[in-house]
Amino acid sequence: MSRYKIAILGGGPGGYVAAIRAAQLGAETVLIEAGELGGVCLNGGCIPTKTLLKSARVYQELLSSEKFGISIDGEVRIDWAAMQRRKDGVVGQLNSGVRGLLKQNGVEVVQGFGEVLDPHTIVVGGERISADHLIIATGSSPAILPIPGLQEALESGAAVTSTGALTFKEVPQRLVIVGGGVVGMEFAALFSSLGSRVTVLEKFTVLGSLDQDLQKYMQRLLEKKGVEIHNGADIQRFAGSQVIAEINGETREFQGDAVLVSLGRRPNVQAVSRLGLELERGAIRTNERLETSIPGVYAIGDVNGKQMLAHTASAEGLAAVENIMGGSAVINYDKIPACIYTFPEVAMVGLTEQEAVRRGHKVAIGTFPLAANGRALAEGEPEGLVKIVADEKYGEVLGVHIIAAQATDLISEAVLALELESTVHELANAVHPHPTFSEVVMEAAHALLGHAIHVFKR
Ligand code: FAD
């Protein structure tokens, strides 16, 4: 039986990052992974979707090349198989990078499904592994709700989850997406850009986690781009690739050539069921140190259900290791950004206006449209806006919300502003390079203070 200081179950962005940091800090570390290193993020989530989205963006740019003074003789065609090969290449390259990093740092990697027998013992294919501390990083799987016909539709391949949509044999002509959360809407952007007729059925409101102004803006924009959106759709049943939903009291049928079911994700807790850990809505309950109801056993990433994001999983991995090694790391979830890779992109950090008000803040709001930014016009990307939510008294930045072609990169400035507890005056006074998209953040800060430069008076 091998004995380690730290055993980590699951090698996604939570587990592998924790393993490298543990080894860097001198802990004998073992990482147990049943599938591919990098987890859902690298193999079936963040990276493959963004790689395909890049192909879709290039396709759209070529279709609109005349706008940039370039005419293309002949047809611009999609080669879906070649897009898939590119995606697989990017994933493969990153996979071997992760494997190399683990090796270089001296992490022992055990391939196989690990079952936890007790807080110090994991069994993998008959081999027992023993450790002083355990970090559970087993991630999550698509939620399959008990809707009539869904299981059969999935089994027959008439409906797929996100994993299946990444490897469609071809781009479907008609795609019905059930669930208009972040994952569902990223696929809506992907396939509508590649020419599919996309219909989204959402029980509440698509992209409902956004600040309300941005939600409305994005819904309008996606509809303008041809995505058919039905909010308030109550799914009654699946009949193969047909979805039957009740909308405003009317029963309607939506026929797809393919159906993507994107109804959220469930934490993977089966491998640790013997521990009898406390759960909360199906996720492993942890305290602010990421420690579970059993001392010495930690849970990070999707499995603890706090925020199902790759960078949250990694941050929690680093924090859990630091705590095991005697530190006292705590994560402030309000300061973690969230991004949506649609066209244009959406990114946010901190509080929405609605949440800030709910928490008792008197808020001041500043907005600035991308259409008034020189670089955005030069790039042919005038869609979007920035909205800053600040506390009225001292101007402390509470939240920043961006829709822009580059929103997912622009948000990092706002992340730093929140981390440093900056005021909107500091964002406004920081000189931004011209011409850049980043000026929109500074201009929104100026707008909040009542003196935006590049805005016409109404
Ligand atoms: P996972 O990545 O799920 O990894 C868990 C690993 O544990 C898996 O490799 C699994 O094989 C292994 N495992 C499970 N049980 C066992 C066991 N008993 N023994 C051994 N190994 C086990 N997040 C973002 O931040 N940005 C994005 O752009 C983004 N895009 C996404 C797109 C899609 C389509 C999806 C589905 C998700 C996306 N996410 C994104 C979410 C992100 O993928 C997850 O939040 C992240 O992967 C969670 O990391 P994790 O380490 O907790 O778990």
Side-chain angles (χ1 to χ4, degrees), residues 152-367:
E152 292 81 349
L154 288 169
E155 278 164 16
S156 70
V160 295
T161 61
S162 59
T163 316
L166 286 169
T167 52
F168 276 145
K169 292 263 178 303
E170 55 193 20
V171 175
Q173 283 191 356
R174 293 168 304 172
L175 174 64
V176 178
I177 299 180
V178 179
V182 172
V183 170
M185 296 316 282
E186 285 188 1
F187 277 103
L190 171 65
F191 285 107
S192 64
S193 300
L194 292 176
S196 300
R197 256 180 35 224
V198 176
T199 304
V200 180
L201 304 175
E202 162 59 42
K203 186 162 188 178
F204 302 105
T205 309
V206 294
L207 299 177
S209 59
L210 293 182
D211 181 278
Q212 282 173 18
D213 286 342
L214 278 83
Q215 189 283 329
K216 287 188 191 120
Y217 191 109
M218 275 313 286
Q219 177 166 339
R220 263 201 315 272
L221 204 62
L222 288 164
E223 285 174 332
K224 207 171 99 189
K225 288 173 188 272
V227 179
E228 187 182 319
I229 294 175
H230 295 277
N231 289 327
D234 195 7
I235 308 300
Q236 303 295 303
R237 62 192 169 87
F238 288 76
S241 50
Q242 190 178 62
V243 185
I244 295 95
E246 197 178 299
I247 304 170
N248 296 328
E250 193 190 330
T251 302
R252 296 187 53 183
E253 292 163 359
F254 296 90
Q255 181 67 51
D257 298 304
V259 176
L260 164 62
V261 181
S262 172
L263 294 166
R265 297 183 64 86
R266 290 259 160 80
N268 295 329
V269 293
Q270 55 281 30
V272 296
S273 58
R274 282 192 212 206
L275 291 181
L277 294 167
E278 275 179 33
L279 302 182
E280 197 173 347
R281 281 182 280 121
I284 300 177
R285 187 185 196 133
T286 58
N287 62 18
E288 57 176 19
R289 292 169 45 82
L290 282 323
E291 202 165 14
T292 67
S293 51
I294 299 180
V297 177
Y298 293 73
I300 60 168
D302 283 11
V303 77
N304 71 26
K306 289 183 198 287
Q307 257 183 8
M308 291 197 176
L309 292 170
H311 44 281
T312 303
S314 299
E316 289 179 341
L318 298 178
V321 167
E322 195 176 322
N323 290 335
I324 289 172
M325 302 302 278
S328 52
V330 168
I331 289 177
N332 183 345
Y333 292 90
D334 280 347
K335 293 183 178 172
I336 296 183
C339 298
I340 308 174
Y341 298 77
T342 40
F343 304 126
E345 299 174 344
V346 190
M348 74 220 83
V349 63
L351 306 183
T352 61
E353 180 181 353
Q354 298 74 42
E355 179 60 14
V357 169
R358 199 189 64 77
R359 293 194 193 181
H361 290 281
K362 246 187 140 188
V363 296
I365 304 293
T367 60

Side-chain angles (χ1 to χ4, degrees), residues 2-7 30 119-122 129-134:
S2 10
R3 176 124 200 147
Y4 297 88
K5 182 168 177 71
I6 303 179
V30 60
H120 301 286
T121 318
I122 304 158
I129 294 169
S130 152
D132 299 338
H133 303 273
L134 170 64

Side-chain angles (χ1 to χ4, degrees), residues 9-15 32-36 39-41 44-46 49-50 112-114 137-140 162 183 187 265 271 300-302 308-311 313 341:
L9 192 61
I32 302 149
E33 171 54 54
E36 299 289 339
V40 169
C41 174
C46 327
T49 50
K50 276 75 222 178
F113 189 86
T138 46
S140 65
S162 59
V183 170
F187 277 103
R265 297 183 64 86
I300 60 168
D302 283 11
M308 291 197 176
L309 292 170
H311 44 281
Y341 298 77

